[in-house]
Amino acid sequence: MPFALKHKRRKRKRNAVGHKMSSQVRLRLLPRARCMFDEPVQVKVAGLRSRQMVTLRARSTDEKGVVFSSSATFRADGSGQIDLERDPSLGGTYTGVEPMGLLWSMRPDTLHKRFQRTKSLNPHMVKISVHDQEKEEGRILAEATNERLLIGDGVIRRTVREGNIRGVLFTPPGEGPFPAVLDLYTSGGGLSEKRASLLARRGFVVLTVALYGNSDMSRNIREIHLDYLEEALEFLKKQYKVGGKGVGVISISKSGDLALSMASYLQGVEAVVWINGCSANTLLPLYYQKSQILPPLMVDLSKLIPTESEAFNGKKVMNDPLAEENEATLIPVERAEGRLLFVASEDDLNWDSTAYVDMMVERLQRHGKDNFETVCYPGAGHYLEPPYGPYCPSSFHAVAGGPVLWGGEARSHAAAEVHLWKKIQEFFRAHLSCDATQTKAKL
C-alpha cells in the first residue's frame, strides 16, 4: 500500500537567539532559526567589544556522514555588532559581503565529496558558532543551529509503487488546482526528493521517479524505455489536485536528454526545464513501444584530462553529436509542442552545455520554431540545484570511474542557483495550464 505522510513541524518554541556561550555575546538567526532549505537567513552577532575580531564557523553533516564546514573572519563595528548582510568577510572560505556565504562555501572534510541531502524528511542542520580571535583565540563565544527543512507545512509525501512506477509524490496543502511537474533527478540512480519537495511547497504537485537502483529496481541498466516515463506522466495527470491536461518536466545532466525526448515523442508535456544536459540521447539506447528510437551518443574516456586535484576534466569526453556517424543520436526537438527552457552553465566541465544549447537553438530555428528560451550563467558549474547548499567543485562520476571536476566558481555558482530557482517557478507557472474544472472532473 502506498504510504502517505502529511508533514507538520514539531510544535516547539524556538526563538531567534542561539545558546549563549558568553554572558554578553549573542548570535541571532533571523527571521527564525528554523526555515526552509531554499530560504535565506540573516546572521547577526551582538555584544562584542568595539572593533573586535571574531571568526564565524558553520558545520553540518550530510546523509552519508561527510562533514562540511566553512569559516569567515569579521571585525565588529563600533557598537560591537556584526551583520552578514552588511559586513564583509575578511578571510576564510569566502570573502566580501555574502549574506549566505557561510552556507554555500562549506567544504567537505574529504576531497571530492558531493553534499548529499536526498530524503525530504531529514532537515539540513547547520551549527553556526562565533569564535574569539583576540584574547582567547578559538574560544566559542556564542552558537546557534539553523534547521533547514526540505518539506513544508501541510505538504503530503506519498511513496509511489504503482505499476512500474517507483517514486515519491508531493502534494501542496490547499484545494488547488495546482500545476503538475515530473522531476527527473536521476543522477546516480535511486531517488532524490529535495528538489521535488521544495517545489511542492511552492505550489506544484511533483512526482520524482527513479530509473534504476531504487527498491526492487535493477542496480544497473542497459537501456531506457520511454514507456516508463509515459506511465509516470499519466499517473501524475490523474492526481486529483492537478489542474490542466499537461505536465511540466524538470531535469539535469543525463536526464536533460530524457526530458527532451519526452517532449518530442510523448503527448501532454507542456513545459520542460533542461539544466546542463545534452542535445543528443546519451550513454544508453532509448526505446519506445518495444522499438529503439534513439541510439546512444557515447564517450571517449581517453579524452579525460588529469588535473593536480586528482579529479579529471571531462568536458571533451562526449563524442561530437554533429559528426555524421552520430547524427542519429540527436533528439528531434523540433517535434516538441511544449515550451522549452534551456539552462547552461558557461563553466560546466562535465560537458559543453552551452554548445549543446546552441545546437538545439539552431535546429529549432531551422524548423521555424520559437517555443524556447535560454539562460546562461557565467562562472557556474554543472550541478545547479536549489539554492544555499554547499557548492561542489568535484565528486565521483560513475562513467569516468573516478572523481571529476564539475566546474564553476563558488560565489558565481551560488548566485546562479538563487536566480535559477526563481526562474524555474516563474517558467512553470507561466506555461503550465491549471484549470479548476479538471480537478472537479477527477473528483
Side-chain angles (χ1 to χ4, degrees):
M1 293 289 292
F3 170 69
L5 175 66
K6 188 169 185 177
H7 178 72
K8 292 184 179 180
R9 297 180 187 175
R10 296 186 299 278
K11 292 185 178 179
R12 59 182 182 183
K13 292 184 179 180
R14 181 190 292 260
N15 58 29
V17 181
H19 173 62
K20 291 193 295 182
M21 306 298 290
S22 161
S23 59
Q24 295 179 334
V25 181
R26 299 178 302 280
L27 171 62
R28 294 187 297 163
L29 306 178
L30 303 170
R32 55 192 177 277
R34 204 161 187 252
C35 63
M36 294 302 299
F37 184 96
D38 59 351
E39 290 178 340
V41 65
Q42 186 177 13
V43 181
K44 286 188 171 185
V45 184
L48 297 168
R49 297 186 302 276
S50 175
R51 308 297 178 187
Q52 182 177 353
M53 293 287 289
V54 296
T55 294
L56 269 66
R57 302 186 187 277
R59 182 182 174 93
S60 182
T61 303
D62 76 356
E63 290 173 354
K64 300 293 185 181
V66 179
V67 175
F68 288 74
S69 60
S70 62
S71 66
T73 299
F74 295 88
R75 184 184 296 278
D77 64 13
S79 59
Q81 298 185 28
I82 295 171
D83 181 351
L84 268 63
E85 290 191 351
R86 175 196 67 189
D87 300 321
S89 165
L90 304 176
T93 52
Y94 78 94
T95 57
V97 179
E98 292 289 341
M100 294 293 285
L102 282 174
L103 272 74
W104 57 250
S105 73
M106 286 198 291
R107 300 170 180 173
D109 60 1
T110 305
L111 277 176
H112 311 311
K113 294 293 184 180
R114 186 163 158 242
F115 179 75
Q116 299 288 333
R117 184 63 66 193
T118 62
K119 299 177 176 62
S120 61
L121 300 180
N122 297 341
H124 175 32
M125 307 293 290
V126 183
K127 182 179 179 180
I128 301 174
S129 50
V130 184
H131 299 254
D132 190 7
Q133 287 296 102
E134 296 180 349
K135 290 187 176 180
E136 298 179 62
E137 188 171 347
R139 183 171 74 94
I140 299 178
L141 303 177
E143 61 182 11
T145 298
N146 184 200
E147 185 174 1
R148 307 185 65 78
L149 305 171
L150 273 74
I151 188 166
D153 279 342
V155 172
I156 298 173
R157 178 192 180 279
R158 173 188 166 196
T159 301
V160 178
R161 290 173 57 91
E162 296 193 18
N164 295 308
I165 305 170
R166 299 293 179 268
V168 178
L169 179 71
F170 294 93
T171 307
E175 295 183 3
F178 301 107
V181 174
L182 179 65
D183 188 349
L184 299 182
Y185 200 108
T186 57
S187 301
L191 273 172
S192 179
E193 301 177 18
K194 178 172 66 177
R195 187 168 63 183
S197 61
L198 291 172
L199 276 176
R201 189 250 177 184
R202 300 289 183 172
F204 300 91
V205 177
V206 189
L207 173 65
T208 180
V209 295
L211 283 180
Y212 64 99
N214 177 259
S215 184
D216 56 350
M217 304 177 90
S218 172
R219 292 286 171 185
N220 298 291
I221 54 173
R222 296 181 180 179
E223 59 196 37
I224 295 177
H225 290 262
L226 208 54
D227 313 72
Y228 172 70
L229 299 176
E230 184 176 43
E231 185 178 348
L233 275 183
E234 294 305 315
F235 170 85
L236 185 53
K237 287 192 287 186
K238 292 176 182 176
Q239 301 309 302
Y240 77 93
K241 285 190 180 182
V242 170
K245 298 178 181 180
V247 169
V249 181
I250 184 168
S251 60
I252 187 169
S253 197
K254 160 61 191 173
S255 68
D257 62 69
L258 295 179
L260 291 182
S261 293
M262 291 178 69
S264 301
Y265 290 101
L266 304 180
Q267 297 295 314
V269 178
E270 287 188 334
V272 169
V273 175
W274 174 103
I275 303 171
N276 290 327
C278 186
S279 54
N281 177 58
T282 59
L283 303 174
L284 297 165
L286 184 65
Y287 284 76
Y288 183 50
Q289 297 178 349
K290 299 182 179 180
S291 296
Q292 179 177 294
I293 55 174
L294 290 172
L297 181 69
M298 300 306 291
V299 297
D300 180 354
L301 295 181
S302 69
K303 293 181 180 178
L304 284 170
I305 302 172
T307 67
E308 291 182 358
S309 70
E310 298 182 355
F312 289 98
N313 181 333
K315 186 159 188 168
K316 302 299 183 182
V317 164
M318 292 301 300
N319 290 329
D320 182 4
L322 295 182
E324 185 177 353
E325 65 271 20
N326 297 322
E327 286 183 352
T329 69
L330 289 166
I331 299 163
V333 69
E334 68 278 2
R335 295 176 48 161
E337 296 299 327
R339 293 290 303 182
L340 307 172
L341 173 62
F342 299 128
V343 180
S345 295
E346 292 186 5
D347 196 30
D348 186 353
L349 294 183
N350 180 67
W351 50 26
D352 199 343
S353 298
T354 54
Y356 298 147
V357 170
D358 291 342
M359 291 178 197
M360 291 185 291
V361 168
E362 189 279 330
R363 182 170 183 140
L364 286 163
Q365 291 177 335
R366 183 162 23 102
H367 286 84
K369 303 295 287 286
D370 61 358
N371 58 330
F372 64 90
E373 55 188 286
T374 65
V375 181
C376 291
Y377 292 109
H382 186 66
Y383 272 110
L384 289 173
E385 302 198 85
Y388 309 127
Y391 159 71
C392 178
S394 62
S395 66
F396 180 81
H397 193 300
V399 176
V404 300
L405 298 174
W406 298 117
E409 178 274 324
R411 187 191 312 268
S412 299
H413 189 92
E417 289 184 329
V418 172
H419 181 272
L420 177 59
W421 189 234
K422 294 177 182 177
K423 177 67 178 177
I424 288 168
Q425 296 167 54
E426 292 169 356
F427 177 79
F428 279 143
R429 289 194 182 101
H431 300 297
L432 292 178
S433 59
C434 201
D435 185 355
T437 60
Q438 294 289 327
T439 57
K440 292 178 181 177
K442 292 168 190 173
L443 291 171

